[in-house]
Amino acid sequence: MRIAVIGTGYVGLVTGACLAGFGNRVTCVDVDEEKIRGLQEGTVPFYEPGLGDVILSNQRAGRLAFTTALPEAVRDARVCFITVGTPSDVDGSADLQYVLEVAEQIGAALEGPSVVVTKSTVPVGTADRVRHCVARALEARGAGIPFSVASNPEFLREGAAVADFLHPDRVVVGADAPEAEETLRELYSFLPQEKVLFMDIRSAEMTKYAANALLATKISFMNEMARICELVDADVEKVRLGIGSDGRIGYAFISPGCGYGGSCFPKDVRALRHTALQKGYSPRILQAVEDVNEAQKHVLFQKILRHFGGELGGRVLALWGLSFKPNTSDLREASSLVLIQDLLGAGASLRLHDPVALEEARRLLGNRPGLAFLTDHYEALEGADGLVLVTEWDLYKQPDFRLVGQKLREKAVFDGRNQYSGPELRRRGFAYYAIGRP
Ligand SMILES: NC(=O)c1ccc[n+]([C@@H]2O[C@H](COP(=O)([O-])OP(=O)(O)OC[C@H]3O[C@@H](n4cnc5c(N)ncnc54)[C@H](O)[C@@H]3O)[C@@H](O)[C@H]2O)c1
């Protein structure tokens, strides 16, 4: 099948490369010329385990191509995937300008029947707007080409995106027209039939938001439990084990920490809240989830400030982990960024380390005074007054604490992901602070 994928971010690249792996002929499109040039030369624009190999093998086999010329890619594509970003607008709604712009361009370029599939996360009703944009562009050039629209929200996780695409828990497809359903059934025939769930388009669009909002709710709930545990001298990690073992609850997304970030949870919770408000309903849970998370991003800073008696001027802190979660170079809405602003604002200097997100951090934060970017995580500790663990990369899980103690000027560890043993660190002479644990 000929496929066009518009938008070569995490979702577009993984979708395009993996579908090419099943023998389809895929062309991926982006407006970012530098990104496309890099991809043509075999450079993946971000860190995503395993993606480079899938891209390269399909590119070499001639099944996967990259271009900035949308018309060429779309012209004879049986399926056009829209995978561009849907960032938060100022009022919290999903900004659909890129999605609708692409829909218009598809309508201007189509030469044969096609299914236009939105994979980006978009509010209920967006498929109708996509249909309208494509139809308007076709009409403008007097082309009576038949097309249908579908919704196929993506659930992959950065850091495990290729495996998630190839072995998903399920694929959700919203399709109102039989030809769209038939085409997508064929496209997803590499999966067991029961894993491909067909439904109406509006329910498919809503499913993505409901899933992300529920996962974000679990995280914020546990972070609130962590706060309460601190007040009553209980250990939230023990509580986590106690509740996670309950078959009705489970362990997924109940680890307390210093707040969730990323390109999905924060913006999707905001967008869903905005949709509800627009319809006259004030969603209390979603508001609370956002509020708790915003507050949680400052929790480490408060612990650090308290440890140093309310004065951070002249202090140096080492930060381990900058990406919003392990195994990605993505820094969008990462907790680290909030913490860095808090610490710099209070007069501290920072020595930053991340296994793969250092360059992206340098690009975002700039080379300002008070910031040092270190490529070795032990070197980041040299002369620092404390170690702050922000993102739980494997590399940080079993450090040599003897070396950590030697490198640090003051033996203090602020563990934003509850990775270390408090008793063990205290035995070694460290001051140790975690989330919701004594
Ligand atoms: N990143 C994730 O983990 C994830 C998971 C599931 C769903 N989603 C959703 O998928 C969508 C894409 O997310 P992402 O993280 O892949 O985005 P991204 O920001 O990484 O990539 C989007 C790409 O679209 C390109 N683009 C913008 N306008 C364009 C246009 N007019 N023509 C061609 N290309 C254009 C950008 O240059 C960029 O390369 C979003 O709606 C997101 O919410 C993301």
Side-chain angles (χ1 to χ4, degrees):
M1 202 183 288
R2 277 196 181 271
I3 297 167
V5 179
I6 328 295
T8 61
Y10 290 86
V11 171
L13 270 185
V14 171
T15 302
C18 289
L19 288 177
F22 292 106
N24 298 293
R25 295 184 76 83
V26 181
T27 307
C28 293
V29 184
D30 207 287
V31 283
D32 186 333
E33 289 178 10
E34 202 181 321
K35 207 178 208 183
I36 290 297
R37 207 173 313 118
L39 282 163
Q40 286 166 340
E41 288 161 7
T43 311
V44 185
F46 45 78
Y47 177 79
E48 183 58 48
L51 181 58
D53 292 343
V54 188
I55 290 179
L56 217 62
S57 60
N58 285 292
Q59 212 171 6
R60 284 197 183 128
R63 290 187 296 263
L64 180 63
F66 299 97
T67 181
T68 53
L70 181 142
E72 269 171 36
V74 158
R75 199 171 291 147
D76 54 356
R78 248 181 87 195
V79 177
C80 298
F81 278 109
I82 303 179
T83 55
V84 295
T86 48
S88 276
D89 215 334
V90 276
D91 60 1
S93 63
D95 181 352
L96 293 178
Q97 63 166 313
Y98 309 109
V99 170
L100 300 178
E101 188 180 293
V102 167
E104 191 99 31
Q105 289 169 4
I106 292 173
L110 271 187
E111 287 186 0
S114 191
V115 185
V116 180
V117 185
T118 307
K119 229 182 201 319
S120 302
T121 304
V122 293
V124 173
T126 302
D128 292 336
R129 298 178 68 185
V130 166
R131 184 185 289 114
H132 178 74
C133 286
V134 177
R136 193 172 52 195
L138 282 168
E139 230 174 82
R141 61 188 176 102
I145 295 165
F147 75 96
S148 46
V149 297
S151 163
N152 175 211
E154 182 52 62
F155 295 90
L156 60 76
R157 297 162 300 169
E158 284 175 29
V162 173
D164 282 352
F165 190 89
L166 297 175
H167 311 285
D169 288 336
R170 52 42 185 118
V171 165
V172 169
V173 179
D176 295 342
E179 64 274 15
E181 181 169 337
E182 206 175 294
T183 307
L184 286 164
R185 230 181 248 293
E186 189 183 329
L187 193 67
Y188 282 113
S189 60
F190 65 89
L191 293 172
Q193 219 178 346
E194 66 276 11
K195 291 222 167 188
V196 189
L197 309 179
F198 283 88
M199 58 180 78
D200 63 283
I201 290 182
R202 297 176 82 83
S203 301
E205 288 171 333
M206 184 65 192
T207 299
K208 172 68 194 182
Y209 282 104
N212 275 2
L214 180 56
L215 295 175
T217 302
K218 289 179 86 175
I219 298 172
S220 277
F221 173 82
M222 279 311 278
N223 284 336
E224 186 148 87
M225 289 306 107
R227 292 281 190 119
I228 299 174
C229 281
E230 284 181 12
L231 296 172
V232 299
D233 279 333
D235 183 339
V236 75
E237 286 301 327
K238 301 269 163 50
V239 174
R240 183 178 68 82
L241 296 176
I243 64 173
S245 52
D246 185 326
R248 296 167 303 174
I249 298 173
Y251 288 105
F253 288 85
I254 62 164
S255 290
C258 51
Y260 63 75
S263 68
C264 291
F265 288 177
K267 84 169 170 60
D268 292 349
V269 170
R270 281 195 292 268
L272 184 56
R273 182 172 158 267
H274 184 271
T275 299
L277 284 171
Q278 248 187 344
K279 295 289 177 190
Y281 174 70
S282 181
R284 281 159 287 192
I285 292 180
L286 297 180
Q287 181 64 59
V289 168
E290 266 194 276
D291 291 348
V292 169
N293 194 54
E294 280 316 303
Q296 198 67 13
K297 288 182 170 180
H298 299 281
V299 154
L300 275 177
F301 173 68
Q302 286 148 7
K303 289 177 191 285
I304 294 166
L305 195 61
R306 211 172 310 127
H307 174 79
F308 291 107
E311 177 54 59
L312 289 177
R315 292 288 180 180
V316 179
L317 288 149
L319 263 61
W320 278 3
L322 305 172
S323 54
F324 84 90
K325 66 173 181 179
N327 300 320
T328 180
S329 51
D330 200 341
L331 278 162
R332 288 180 278 187
E333 304 216 25
S335 300
S336 65
L337 297 177
V338 174
L339 178 63
I340 288 168
Q341 292 307 338
D342 282 349
L343 291 170
L344 287 178
S349 300
L350 306 177
R351 296 173 65 78
L352 309 177
H353 179 268
D354 188 282
V356 302
L358 213 54
E359 274 319 300
E360 179 63 4
R362 198 196 297 272
R363 194 184 66 77
L364 278 178
L365 297 164
N367 276 324
R368 57 178 105 168
L371 278 188
F373 299 86
L374 286 308
T375 51
D376 179 89
H377 62 303
Y378 288 114
E379 203 187 331
L381 304 175
E382 299 274 354
D385 296 302
L387 158 64
V388 191
L389 178 78
V390 188
T391 311
E392 68 280 29
W393 283 88
D394 279 351
L395 176 67
Y396 306 139
K397 286 196 171 157
Q398 297 169 352
D400 176 350
F401 277 113
R402 213 170 43 88
L403 191 56
V404 171
Q406 282 167 8
K407 300 262 179 194
L408 287 175
R409 194 159 62 185
E410 216 172 281
K411 287 171 84 173
V413 172
F414 304 88
D415 179 355
R417 301 291 171 187
N418 289 354
Q419 293 295 306
Y420 305 133
S421 154
E424 168 66 11
L425 281 183
R426 290 190 188 105
R427 200 181 52 74
R428 289 172 174 272
F430 286 88
Y432 175 74
Y433 303 87
I435 308 290
R437 289 157 79 194

